[in-house]
Amino acid sequence: MKFTAKRRLYSLAVVAAVFGHFQNAQAADESINLKTMGSFHIGGRLVEISGKPVKEMLFSAGGVPVRIDPNGTYQVEQMYVQYFIPAQERGSVPLLMWHGGGFTGVTYETTPDGREGWVNYFLRKGWAVYNSDAVERGRSGWAQYPDIFKGEPVFLTTANPFERFRIGGGEGSFSQDPSKRRYLPGNQFPADGYDNMMKQIVPRWTTTDDAIMAAYLAEVDKVCPCVILFHSQAGPFAFKAAQARPDKVKALVAVEPAQVGDPDKVAALKAIPTLMIYGDFIDKDRRWPTIRKNGLAFVEKIRTAGGSVDVVDLPEIGIKGNSHFPMMDRNNREVADLIQKWLGDKGLYR
Amino acid sequence: MKFTAKRRLYSLAVVAAVFGHFQNAQAADESINLKTMGSFHIGGRLVEISGKPVKEMLFSAGGVPVRIDPNGTYQVEQMYVQYFIPAQERGSVPLLMWHGGGFTGVTYETTPDGREGWVNYFLRKGWAVYNSDAVERGRSGWAQYPDIFKGEPVFLTTANPFERFRIGGGEGSFSQDPSKRRYLPGNQFPADGYDNMMKQIVPRWTTTDDAIMAAYLAEVDKVCPCVILFHSQAGPFAFKAAQARPDKVKALVAVEPAQVGDPDKVAALKAIPTLMIYGDFIDKDRRWPTIRKNGLAFVEKIRTAGGSVDVVDLPEIGIKGNSHFPMMDRNNREVADLIQKWLGDKGLYR
C-alpha cells in the first residue's frame, strides 16, 4: 500500500511536471506556439501591354540567354499578407496590421535595434496576426511605370525620416555621423537602430491609393471580422475600409494616422470602437500639429454621429518621448500593453 | 487494492494523455513551437545623389504637403532576412533558404495553391530557418535607376514563367484562359495555383549580381555555420558563397540551379556535401538541357577536386512530373522528405 501510494505520488509528479512544461511552452515570453503560419497574395488585376520591341537578355554572366517579349499580360496591384495563427487563440477575431508610407510589414516585426516587435507581442498574447505589405511595397511587388503606375516612385534620403517623423528636432537635425545627430530630448526612438530602420524603407508611389485601397478591401473580405491596427499612411485606408465594411471591422487602432476616412460617412463608424494614439513632440514639429488637428476633427465628427473614439496622447498619460514609430520605440511594449488592455476592455479578448 | 489499481491505471492514463498532447504539440503537422521569430536587414551601402531639384509632394489627397529634396544620402542594396527558431532545434546548424530570380522568400512559404511550403516543413522538423529576399526584391527594397542601379528592371508576363519553367509545354502553351493552358503531361505544378504564383513575382534587375552576392555573404558571416538550400538564380550566389566561406557552409542543397560557382575554385567545395536536384521534362525544353549540362560539368569539377556531390534527377528515382518549382509542386513534401533524409544521412540532423 505504501509502495502504491508512492507510485501514485510519482505519477502525479510526472503529470504536474508535464503539465508545467506544456504550460510554459504556451506562456508569453516563453515560446510562440502556432497552429500554423503562412502567406498569400490577394487582389490585383491584369493589364495588357503592347507595341514594345522583343529583347534577348542575359540574366547572369555565363547564363543561357532568355528571350523577353515585354508585350503581353501583367499581373499587378496584388497584396502580400503573412499570417500567424496561435495554437490557442485568445483574440475574439484576427488582428490585421497595416503599415505606413514607404514601409512594409517589417514595421511590426523585430525593431530596428533587434527587440521583439508588435507581431510577436500580439501573437504571444494569443492574437491571430495578419501582417501585410501594401500594394507596390515589399513582397507585393510593383508595376512598370509610366505604363501602369503613374508618376515616379519616391525614395527617401537617410535624413528624411529622422527630420520628418519626430525622431530628430526637424530640418537640419540629421547627420550621417551618428554622434552628431540632434535627437528630440527624451526621444524613445532607439538611436542605435536608426541606420537599420533606413534599410526597412522601400520606394513608394503617391499615385496608387486606389489600388492599395482595393487590395486592403479584398483582405478584409477574406479575413474579417477583425481588428485593424494601422499606422500613418494606412490611416485613410483603414478608416475607409471600415466605412465600406462596417460589419466586418470590430475595432480600429489608429497609431498616428497621417490622414483619416471619408468625413461624409462617419455614421458608418459609429458601432466600431476606435483607439487613436499620438506620440510626443507633436507641437515641436512643422507638420504634425496640422495632422493631429485633422485627426481630431474627424474624431469629433464620428462622436457627433454617435460613435466612440478614445484619443490617447501618450505624454498626457505619462508615456513620454514617443516618435512617430511607437512600435519601434524603446517603450514599444508599454504602448502595446495599452492597446492590449483597450482591446480587452472592448470585449475582444478572452 | 482493486480501487488503488484503478486509480493507478487512471493516473497512468492521464500521464499518457498529457504526454500524448504535449508530444502532439511538438509533432510535425500538429503545431509549430517557436523559441522566437523575427527579421533583420543586413549589408548594403550608402550612396550620394546630388544636383537634383527639390519638389513639394502631396503624399495623399487631403494630406499635408511634404518637401522632398532628392539630394542626399541613400541606403541601398541591403537584404531582408526573416527567421524562425524552433523551441527544440534538431538541425545541427540553421537552414538558409535562397530563392530564384524574380521571386522573393515567398517561394518557400505557402504554395500558390495554399498548402504548406518548405519553410513550415523544415521548421516542423526542427530546423532554424532563415528565409530572405535577395537585394532589390521584396522587403529588401530597391534603388533608383539609372542613378544607382544600372539598366532597367525586368517584368514577367503571365505567359513567361509558364512557358519557360517546364510548367507548360514551351512557347505558345500559355493562355490567359486557364482551361486552354497546355501543361506538360503529368506536371506536378498545381494548376489552380498558377495565377496566384504570378502574384508572387516581383520586378528584377539583371545588373545587380555583385550587390546580391555581397549581401548573401554578409548573411553567411552573421548566421552561419549553416546549410544553404537554394533555387534557380541563387545557384551561383550559393556556390560562390560556399567557395568564399568554405568553413561556414556545412552542406549545399541546390534545387535546379540556373548557374553554378567559380570553376577555378572547386577545391574550396571539396569538404561541403552537396545535393543537386533536377525535376522532370528537362529534355522537352529549349534551355534546360544546357542549364543541366553546365551544372553537371561543374559537379564533375568538384568531384575531380575530391568533393562529394549527389545529383538526383527526380524522375530517375520515380518522382515524376516536377516543374522548375518543386517547392510549390503538388509533391513538394515528397521532395522535401528526400532533402531531409539526405541532410540526416550527412549527420546534420539530431
PDB file of all heavy atoms in Angstrom, chain A residues 202-236:
ATOM      1  N   VAL A 202      11.260  51.184 -48.281  1.00  0.00           N
ATOM      2  CA  VAL A 202      11.227  50.803 -49.696  1.00  0.00           C
ATOM      3  C   VAL A 202      10.654  51.963 -50.504  1.00  0.00           C
ATOM      4  O   VAL A 202       9.983  52.834 -49.957  1.00  0.00           O
ATOM      5  CB  VAL A 202      10.381  49.525 -49.908  1.00  0.00           C
ATOM      6  CG1 VAL A 202      10.988  48.342 -49.159  1.00  0.00           C
ATOM      7  CG2 VAL A 202       8.929  49.743 -49.494  1.00  0.00           C
ATOM      8  N   PRO A 203      10.910  51.973 -51.831  1.00  0.00           N
ATOM      9  CA  PRO A 203      10.331  53.035 -52.661  1.00  0.00           C
ATOM     10  C   PRO A 203       8.801  52.992 -52.618  1.00  0.00           C
ATOM     11  O   PRO A 203       8.210  51.941 -52.377  1.00  0.00           O
ATOM     12  CB  PRO A 203      10.830  52.677 -54.066  1.00  0.00           C
ATOM     13  CG  PRO A 203      12.035  51.822 -53.845  1.00  0.00           C
ATOM     14  CD  PRO A 203      11.766  51.064 -52.600  1.00  0.00           C
ATOM     15  N   ARG A 204       8.188  54.150 -52.835  1.00  0.00           N
ATOM     16  CA  ARG A 204       6.726  54.215 -52.858  1.00  0.00           C
ATOM     17  C   ARG A 204       6.260  55.184 -53.934  1.00  0.00           C
ATOM     18  O   ARG A 204       6.979  56.099 -54.314  1.00  0.00           O
ATOM     19  CB  ARG A 204       6.200  54.690 -51.506  1.00  0.00           C
ATOM     20  CG  ARG A 204       6.679  56.094 -51.148  1.00  0.00           C
ATOM     21  CD  ARG A 204       5.937  56.668 -49.983  1.00  0.00           C
ATOM     22  NE  ARG A 204       4.550  56.943 -50.339  1.00  0.00           N
ATOM     23  CZ  ARG A 204       3.721  57.620 -49.549  1.00  0.00           C
ATOM     24  NH1 ARG A 204       4.123  58.065 -48.379  1.00  0.00           N
ATOM     25  NH2 ARG A 204       2.486  57.852 -49.914  1.00  0.00           N
ATOM     26  N   TRP A 205       5.054  54.977 -54.392  1.00  0.00           N
ATOM     27  CA  TRP A 205       4.418  55.952 -55.275  1.00  0.00           C
ATOM     28  C   TRP A 205       3.439  56.792 -54.455  1.00  0.00           C
ATOM     29  O   TRP A 205       3.096  56.430 -53.319  1.00  0.00           O
ATOM     30  CB  TRP A 205       3.663  55.238 -56.401  1.00  0.00           C
ATOM     31  CG  TRP A 205       4.535  54.894 -57.558  1.00  0.00           C
ATOM     32  CD1 TRP A 205       4.658  55.563 -58.734  1.00  0.00           C
ATOM     33  CD2 TRP A 205       5.434  53.780 -57.667  1.00  0.00           C
ATOM     34  NE1 TRP A 205       5.575  54.941 -59.556  1.00  0.00           N
ATOM     35  CE2 TRP A 205       6.068  53.856 -58.930  1.00  0.00           C
ATOM     36  CE3 TRP A 205       5.795  52.725 -56.822  1.00  0.00           C
ATOM     37  CZ2 TRP A 205       7.009  52.922 -59.366  1.00  0.00           C
ATOM     38  CZ3 TRP A 205       6.730  51.801 -57.248  1.00  0.00           C
ATOM     39  CH2 TRP A 205       7.335  51.906 -58.501  1.00  0.00           C
ATOM     40  N   THR A 206       2.996  57.905 -55.046  1.00  0.00           N
ATOM     41  CA  THR A 206       1.979  58.716 -54.379  1.00  0.00           C
ATOM     42  C   THR A 206       0.682  58.687 -55.192  1.00  0.00           C
ATOM     43  O   THR A 206      -0.233  59.463 -54.942  1.00  0.00           O
ATOM     44  CB  THR A 206       2.449  60.178 -54.227  1.00  0.00           C
ATOM     45  OG1 THR A 206       2.738  60.690 -55.530  1.00  0.00           O
ATOM     46  CG2 THR A 206       3.691  60.269 -53.354  1.00  0.00           C
ATOM     47  N   THR A 207       0.638  57.775 -56.175  1.00  0.00           N
ATOM     48  CA  THR A 207      -0.477  57.746 -57.141  1.00  0.00           C
ATOM     49  C   THR A 207      -1.243  56.428 -57.094  1.00  0.00           C
ATOM     50  O   THR A 207      -2.045  56.154 -57.983  1.00  0.00           O
ATOM     51  CB  THR A 207       0.097  57.905 -58.572  1.00  0.00           C
ATOM     52  OG1 THR A 207       1.096  56.879 -58.748  1.00  0.00           O
ATOM     53  CG2 THR A 207       0.719  59.267 -58.767  1.00  0.00           C
ATOM     54  N   THR A 208      -0.984  55.632 -56.075  1.00  0.00           N
ATOM     55  CA  THR A 208      -1.503  54.260 -56.083  1.00  0.00           C
ATOM     56  C   THR A 208      -2.551  54.009 -54.997  1.00  0.00           C
ATOM     57  O   THR A 208      -2.849  52.858 -54.690  1.00  0.00           O
ATOM     58  CB  THR A 208      -0.332  53.274 -55.882  1.00  0.00           C
ATOM     59  OG1 THR A 208       0.409  53.705 -54.737  1.00  0.00           O
ATOM     60  CG2 THR A 208       0.581  53.215 -57.086  1.00  0.00           C
ATOM     61  N   ASP A 209      -3.104  55.094 -54.435  1.00  0.00           N
ATOM     62  CA  ASP A 209      -4.050  54.920 -53.316  1.00  0.00           C
ATOM     63  C   ASP A 209      -5.230  54.012 -53.659  1.00  0.00           C
ATOM     64  O   ASP A 209      -5.654  53.199 -52.828  1.00  0.00           O
ATOM     65  CB  ASP A 209      -4.593  56.290 -52.862  1.00  0.00           C
ATOM     66  CG  ASP A 209      -3.593  57.040 -51.984  1.00  0.00           C
ATOM     67  OD1 ASP A 209      -2.430  56.593 -51.900  1.00  0.00           O
ATOM     68  OD2 ASP A 209      -3.979  58.068 -51.397  1.00  0.00           O
ATOM     69  N   ASP A 210      -5.766  54.153 -54.878  1.00  0.00           N
ATOM     70  CA  ASP A 210      -6.941  53.347 -55.236  1.00  0.00           C
ATOM     71  C   ASP A 210      -6.598  51.858 -55.254  1.00  0.00           C
ATOM     72  O   ASP A 210      -7.384  51.023 -54.793  1.00  0.00           O
ATOM     73  CB  ASP A 210      -7.499  53.773 -56.607  1.00  0.00           C
ATOM     74  CG  ASP A 210      -8.120  55.170 -56.551  1.00  0.00           C
ATOM     75  OD1 ASP A 210      -8.304  55.703 -55.434  1.00  0.00           O
ATOM     76  OD2 ASP A 210      -8.398  55.731 -57.626  1.00  0.00           O
ATOM     77  N   ALA A 211      -5.428  51.551 -55.793  1.00  0.00           N
ATOM     78  CA  ALA A 211      -5.010  50.143 -55.858  1.00  0.00           C
ATOM     79  C   ALA A 211      -4.751  49.594 -54.458  1.00  0.00           C
ATOM     80  O   ALA A 211      -5.128  48.461 -54.141  1.00  0.00           O
ATOM     81  CB  ALA A 211      -3.760  50.013 -56.724  1.00  0.00           C
ATOM     82  N   ILE A 212      -4.113  50.405 -53.614  1.00  0.00           N
ATOM     83  CA  ILE A 212      -3.845  49.970 -52.234  1.00  0.00           C
ATOM     84  C   ILE A 212      -5.158  49.699 -51.516  1.00  0.00           C
ATOM     85  O   ILE A 212      -5.342  48.677 -50.853  1.00  0.00           O
ATOM     86  CB  ILE A 212      -3.015  51.046 -51.491  1.00  0.00           C
ATOM     87  CG1 ILE A 212      -1.597  51.137 -52.088  1.00  0.00           C
ATOM     88  CG2 ILE A 212      -2.956  50.752 -50.000  1.00  0.00           C
ATOM     89  CD1 ILE A 212      -0.754  52.299 -51.532  1.00  0.00           C
ATOM     90  N   MET A 213      -6.090  50.642 -51.684  1.00  0.00           N
ATOM     91  CA  MET A 213      -7.401  50.516 -51.030  1.00  0.00           C
ATOM     92  C   MET A 213      -8.124  49.250 -51.480  1.00  0.00           C
ATOM     93  O   MET A 213      -8.687  48.506 -50.654  1.00  0.00           O
ATOM     94  CB  MET A 213      -8.239  51.758 -51.386  1.00  0.00           C
ATOM     95  CG  MET A 213      -9.554  51.869 -50.658  1.00  0.00           C
ATOM     96  SD  MET A 213      -9.311  52.353 -48.928  1.00  0.00           S
ATOM     97  CE  MET A 213     -10.111  50.991 -48.091  1.00  0.00           C
ATOM     98  N   ALA A 214      -8.114  48.994 -52.777  1.00  0.00           N
ATOM     99  CA  ALA A 214      -8.825  47.820 -53.318  1.00  0.00           C
ATOM    100  C   ALA A 214      -8.275  46.530 -52.719  1.00  0.00           C
ATOM    101  O   ALA A 214      -9.029  45.618 -52.358  1.00  0.00           O
ATOM    102  CB  ALA A 214      -8.707  47.803 -54.842  1.00  0.00           C
ATOM    103  N   ALA A 215      -6.956  46.456 -52.582  1.00  0.00           N
ATOM    104  CA  ALA A 215      -6.358  45.227 -52.044  1.00  0.00           C
ATOM    105  C   ALA A 215      -6.670  45.079 -50.558  1.00  0.00           C
ATOM    106  O   ALA A 215      -6.934  43.967 -50.082  1.00  0.00           O
ATOM    107  CB  ALA A 215      -4.851  45.228 -52.290  1.00  0.00           C
ATOM    108  N   TYR A 216      -6.640  46.188 -49.815  1.00  0.00           N
ATOM    109  CA  TYR A 216      -6.998  46.102 -48.391  1.00  0.00           C
ATOM    110  C   TYR A 216      -8.445  45.622 -48.234  1.00  0.00           C
ATOM    111  O   TYR A 216      -8.755  44.815 -47.352  1.00  0.00           O
ATOM    112  CB  TYR A 216      -6.809  47.453 -47.695  1.00  0.00           C
ATOM    113  CG  TYR A 216      -5.398  47.741 -47.226  1.00  0.00           C
ATOM    114  CD1 TYR A 216      -4.832  49.010 -47.384  1.00  0.00           C
ATOM    115  CD2 TYR A 216      -4.628  46.775 -46.585  1.00  0.00           C
ATOM    116  CE1 TYR A 216      -3.547  49.299 -46.932  1.00  0.00           C
ATOM    117  CE2 TYR A 216      -3.340  47.045 -46.136  1.00  0.00           C
ATOM    118  CZ  TYR A 216      -2.803  48.312 -46.309  1.00  0.00           C
ATOM    119  OH  TYR A 216      -1.536  48.585 -45.853  1.00  0.00           O
ATOM    120  N   LEU A 217      -9.339  46.130 -49.082  1.00  0.00           N
ATOM    121  CA  LEU A 217     -10.734  45.675 -49.008  1.00  0.00           C
ATOM    122  C   LEU A 217     -10.840  44.180 -49.308  1.00  0.00           C
ATOM    123  O   LEU A 217     -11.613  43.460 -48.670  1.00  0.00           O
ATOM    124  CB  LEU A 217     -11.612  46.471 -49.988  1.00  0.00           C
ATOM    125  CG  LEU A 217     -12.073  47.836 -49.503  1.00  0.00           C
ATOM    126  CD1 LEU A 217     -12.933  48.511 -50.571  1.00  0.00           C
ATOM    127  CD2 LEU A 217     -12.869  47.729 -48.189  1.00  0.00           C
ATOM    128  N   ALA A 218     -10.032  43.729 -50.261  1.00  0.00           N
ATOM    129  CA  ALA A 218     -10.028  42.290 -50.573  1.00  0.00           C
ATOM    130  C   ALA A 218      -9.555  41.492 -49.361  1.00  0.00           C
ATOM    131  O   ALA A 218     -10.079  40.409 -49.070  1.00  0.00           O
ATOM    132  CB  ALA A 218      -9.139  42.018 -51.789  1.00  0.00           C
ATOM    133  N   GLU A 219      -8.570  42.028 -48.639  1.00  0.00           N
ATOM    134  CA  GLU A 219      -8.102  41.336 -47.427  1.00  0.00           C
ATOM    135  C   GLU A 219      -9.223  41.288 -46.375  1.00  0.00           C
ATOM    136  O   GLU A 219      -9.457  40.250 -45.753  1.00  0.00           O
ATOM    137  CB  GLU A 219      -6.859  42.017 -46.841  1.00  0.00           C
ATOM    138  CG  GLU A 219      -6.284  41.236 -45.650  1.00  0.00           C
ATOM    139  CD  GLU A 219      -5.261  41.999 -44.824  1.00  0.00           C
ATOM    140  OE1 GLU A 219      -5.067  43.214 -45.064  1.00  0.00           O
ATOM    141  OE2 GLU A 219      -4.658  41.385 -43.931  1.00  0.00           O
ATOM    142  N   VAL A 220      -9.869  42.434 -46.179  1.00  0.00           N
ATOM    143  CA  VAL A 220     -10.965  42.481 -45.204  1.00  0.00           C
ATOM    144  C   VAL A 220     -12.046  41.457 -45.570  1.00  0.00           C
ATOM    145  O   VAL A 220     -12.532  40.712 -44.716  1.00  0.00           O
ATOM    146  CB  VAL A 220     -11.555  43.911 -45.124  1.00  0.00           C
ATOM    147  CG1 VAL A 220     -12.885  43.915 -44.371  1.00  0.00           C
ATOM    148  CG2 VAL A 220     -10.559  44.856 -44.453  1.00  0.00           C
ATOM    149  N   ASP A 221     -12.390  41.385 -46.853  1.00  0.00           N
ATOM    150  CA  ASP A 221     -13.429  40.445 -47.284  1.00  0.00           C
ATOM    151  C   ASP A 221     -13.005  38.998 -47.056  1.00  0.00           C
ATOM    152  O   ASP A 221     -13.837  38.135 -46.796  1.00  0.00           O
ATOM    153  CB  ASP A 221     -13.768  40.676 -48.766  1.00  0.00           C
ATOM    154  CG  ASP A 221     -14.556  41.969 -48.963  1.00  0.00           C
ATOM    155  OD1 ASP A 221     -15.184  42.439 -47.989  1.00  0.00           O
ATOM    156  OD2 ASP A 221     -14.536  42.517 -50.081  1.00  0.00           O
ATOM    157  N   LYS A 222     -11.706  38.735 -47.148  1.00  0.00           N
ATOM    158  CA  LYS A 222     -11.233  37.358 -46.965  1.00  0.00           C
ATOM    159  C   LYS A 222     -11.079  36.990 -45.485  1.00  0.00           C
ATOM    160  O   LYS A 222     -11.437  35.888 -45.078  1.00  0.00           O
ATOM    161  CB  LYS A 222      -9.882  37.180 -47.668  1.00  0.00           C
ATOM    162  CG  LYS A 222      -9.301  35.760 -47.557  1.00  0.00           C
ATOM    163  CD  LYS A 222      -7.913  35.685 -48.189  1.00  0.00           C
ATOM    164  CE  LYS A 222      -7.202  34.377 -47.883  1.00  0.00           C
ATOM    165  NZ  LYS A 222      -7.568  33.278 -48.793  1.00  0.00           N
ATOM    166  N   VAL A 223     -10.530  37.908 -44.684  1.00  0.00           N
ATOM    167  CA  VAL A 223     -10.072  37.542 -43.335  1.00  0.00           C
ATOM    168  C   VAL A 223     -11.048  37.947 -42.228  1.00  0.00           C
ATOM    169  O   VAL A 223     -11.123  37.287 -41.203  1.00  0.00           O
ATOM    170  CB  VAL A 223      -8.677  38.160 -43.065  1.00  0.00           C
ATOM    171  CG1 VAL A 223      -8.219  37.866 -41.651  1.00  0.00           C
ATOM    172  CG2 VAL A 223      -7.662  37.663 -44.082  1.00  0.00           C
ATOM    173  N   CYS A 224     -11.774  39.042 -42.419  1.00  0.00           N
ATOM    174  CA  CYS A 224     -12.550  39.595 -41.313  1.00  0.00           C
ATOM    175  C   CYS A 224     -13.874  38.876 -41.140  1.00  0.00           C
ATOM    176  O   CYS A 224     -14.276  38.164 -42.040  1.00  0.00           O
ATOM    177  CB  CYS A 224     -12.766  41.088 -41.539  1.00  0.00           C
ATOM    178  SG  CYS A 224     -11.176  41.965 -41.668  1.00  0.00           S
ATOM    179  N   PRO A 225     -14.534  39.000 -39.942  1.00  0.00           N
ATOM    180  CA  PRO A 225     -14.412  40.036 -38.923  1.00  0.00           C
ATOM    181  C   PRO A 225     -13.013  40.076 -38.291  1.00  0.00           C
ATOM    182  O   PRO A 225     -12.378  39.046 -38.123  1.00  0.00           O
ATOM    183  CB  PRO A 225     -15.471  39.674 -37.884  1.00  0.00           C
ATOM    184  CG  PRO A 225     -15.770  38.225 -38.129  1.00  0.00           C
ATOM    185  CD  PRO A 225     -15.559  38.017 -39.601  1.00  0.00           C
ATOM    186  N   CYS A 226     -12.605  41.331 -37.892  1.00  0.00           N
ATOM    187  CA  CYS A 226     -11.237  41.539 -37.442  1.00  0.00           C
ATOM    188  C   CYS A 226     -11.108  42.869 -36.699  1.00  0.00           C
ATOM    189  O   CYS A 226     -12.028  43.681 -36.703  1.00  0.00           O
ATOM    190  CB  CYS A 226     -10.320  41.575 -38.668  1.00  0.00           C
ATOM    191  SG  CYS A 226     -10.734  42.930 -39.782  1.00  0.00           S
ATOM    192  N   VAL A 227      -9.952  43.024 -36.099  1.00  0.00           N
ATOM    193  CA  VAL A 227      -9.499  44.328 -35.618  1.00  0.00           C
ATOM    194  C   VAL A 227      -8.415  44.791 -36.588  1.00  0.00           C
ATOM    195  O   VAL A 227      -7.599  43.984 -37.022  1.00  0.00           O
ATOM    196  CB  VAL A 227      -8.906  44.219 -34.194  1.00  0.00           C
ATOM    197  CG1 VAL A 227      -8.231  45.522 -33.780  1.00  0.00           C
ATOM    198  CG2 VAL A 227      -9.979  43.816 -33.186  1.00  0.00           C
ATOM    199  N   ILE A 228      -8.415  46.072 -36.939  1.00  0.00           N
ATOM    200  CA  ILE A 228      -7.333  46.597 -37.779  1.00  0.00           C
ATOM    201  C   ILE A 228      -6.494  47.565 -36.948  1.00  0.00           C
ATOM    202  O   ILE A 228      -7.017  48.529 -36.389  1.00  0.00           O
ATOM    203  CB  ILE A 228      -7.860  47.316 -39.039  1.00  0.00           C
ATOM    204  CG1 ILE A 228      -8.858  46.425 -39.794  1.00  0.00           C
ATOM    205  CG2 ILE A 228      -6.691  47.696 -39.959  1.00  0.00           C
ATOM    206  CD1 ILE A 228      -9.484  47.095 -41.018  1.00  0.00           C
ATOM    207  N   LEU A 229      -5.191  47.265 -36.867  1.00  0.00           N
ATOM    208  CA  LEU A 229      -4.226  48.147 -36.213  1.00  0.00           C
ATOM    209  C   LEU A 229      -3.412  48.771 -37.341  1.00  0.00           C
ATOM    210  O   LEU A 229      -2.862  48.044 -38.173  1.00  0.00           O
ATOM    211  CB  LEU A 229      -3.342  47.332 -35.260  1.00  0.00           C
ATOM    212  CG  LEU A 229      -2.333  48.080 -34.390  1.00  0.00           C
ATOM    213  CD1 LEU A 229      -1.919  47.181 -33.212  1.00  0.00           C
ATOM    214  CD2 LEU A 229      -1.073  48.497 -35.143  1.00  0.00           C
ATOM    215  N   PHE A 230      -3.352  50.094 -37.391  1.00  0.00           N
ATOM    216  CA  PHE A 230      -2.738  50.719 -38.560  1.00  0.00           C
ATOM    217  C   PHE A 230      -1.936  51.946 -38.177  1.00  0.00           C
ATOM    218  O   PHE A 230      -2.157  52.570 -37.143  1.00  0.00           O
ATOM    219  CB  PHE A 230      -3.790  51.049 -39.612  1.00  0.00           C
ATOM    220  CG  PHE A 230      -4.944  51.865 -39.091  1.00  0.00           C
ATOM    221  CD1 PHE A 230      -4.998  53.238 -39.308  1.00  0.00           C
ATOM    222  CD2 PHE A 230      -5.981  51.259 -38.385  1.00  0.00           C
ATOM    223  CE1 PHE A 230      -6.069  53.992 -38.831  1.00  0.00           C
ATOM    224  CE2 PHE A 230      -7.052  52.010 -37.898  1.00  0.00           C
ATOM    225  CZ  PHE A 230      -7.091  53.380 -38.120  1.00  0.00           C
ATOM    226  N   HIS A 231      -1.013  52.298 -39.070  1.00  0.00           N
ATOM    227  CA  HIS A 231      -0.034  53.340 -38.783  1.00  0.00           C
ATOM    228  C   HIS A 231       0.054  54.332 -39.936  1.00  0.00           C
ATOM    229  O   HIS A 231       0.078  53.929 -41.096  1.00  0.00           O
ATOM    230  CB  HIS A 231       1.334  52.671 -38.560  1.00  0.00           C
ATOM    231  CG  HIS A 231       2.450  53.621 -38.235  1.00  0.00           C
ATOM    232  ND1 HIS A 231       3.669  53.587 -38.874  1.00  0.00           N
ATOM    233  CD2 HIS A 231       2.527  54.630 -37.330  1.00  0.00           C
ATOM    234  CE1 HIS A 231       4.460  54.530 -38.366  1.00  0.00           C
ATOM    235  NE2 HIS A 231       3.796  55.172 -37.439  1.00  0.00           N
ATOM    236  N   SER A 232       0.066  55.622 -39.594  1.00  0.00           N
ATOM    237  CA  SER A 232       0.482  56.669 -40.518  1.00  0.00           C
ATOM    238  C   SER A 232      -0.304  56.658 -41.828  1.00  0.00           C
ATOM    239  O   SER A 232      -1.517  56.842 -41.818  1.00  0.00           O
ATOM    240  CB  SER A 232       1.988  56.519 -40.753  1.00  0.00           C
ATOM    241  OG  SER A 232       2.516  57.701 -41.302  1.00  0.00           O
ATOM    242  N   GLN A 233       0.350  56.380 -42.957  1.00  0.00           N
ATOM    243  CA  GLN A 233      -0.332  56.415 -44.252  1.00  0.00           C
ATOM    244  C   GLN A 233      -1.533  55.482 -44.311  1.00  0.00           C
ATOM    245  O   GLN A 233      -2.444  55.681 -45.119  1.00  0.00           O
ATOM    246  CB  GLN A 233       0.650  56.039 -45.383  1.00  0.00           C
ATOM    247  CG  GLN A 233       0.057  56.246 -46.781  1.00  0.00           C
ATOM    248  CD  GLN A 233       0.651  55.313 -47.842  1.00  0.00           C
ATOM    249  OE1 GLN A 233       1.353  54.367 -47.537  1.00  0.00           O
ATOM    250  NE2 GLN A 233       0.351  55.610 -49.104  1.00  0.00           N
ATOM    251  N   ALA A 234      -1.543  54.429 -43.507  1.00  0.00           N
ATOM    252  CA  ALA A 234      -2.663  53.482 -43.552  1.00  0.00           C
ATOM    253  C   ALA A 234      -3.929  54.070 -42.924  1.00  0.00           C
ATOM    254  O   ALA A 234      -5.007  53.472 -43.029  1.00  0.00           O
ATOM    255  CB  ALA A 234      -2.288  52.173 -42.873  1.00  0.00           C
ATOM    256  N   GLY A 235      -3.818  55.257 -42.309  1.00  0.00           N
ATOM    257  CA  GLY A 235      -4.986  55.898 -41.707  1.00  0.00           C
ATOM    258  C   GLY A 235      -6.197  55.937 -42.619  1.00  0.00           C
ATOM    259  O   GLY A 235      -7.244  55.356 -42.308  1.00  0.00           O
ATOM    260  N   PRO A 236      -6.093  56.611 -43.756  1.00  0.00           N
ATOM    261  CA  PRO A 236      -7.272  56.686 -44.624  1.00  0.00           C
ATOM    262  C   PRO A 236      -7.712  55.312 -45.144  1.00  0.00           C
ATOM    263  O   PRO A 236      -8.913  55.076 -45.305  1.00  0.00           O
ATOM    264  CB  PRO A 236      -6.811  57.587 -45.785  1.00  0.00           C
ATOM    265  CG  PRO A 236      -5.316  57.639 -45.698  1.00  0.00           C
ATOM    266  CD  PRO A 236      -4.970  57.413 -44.258  1.00  0.00           C
TER     267      PRO A 236
END
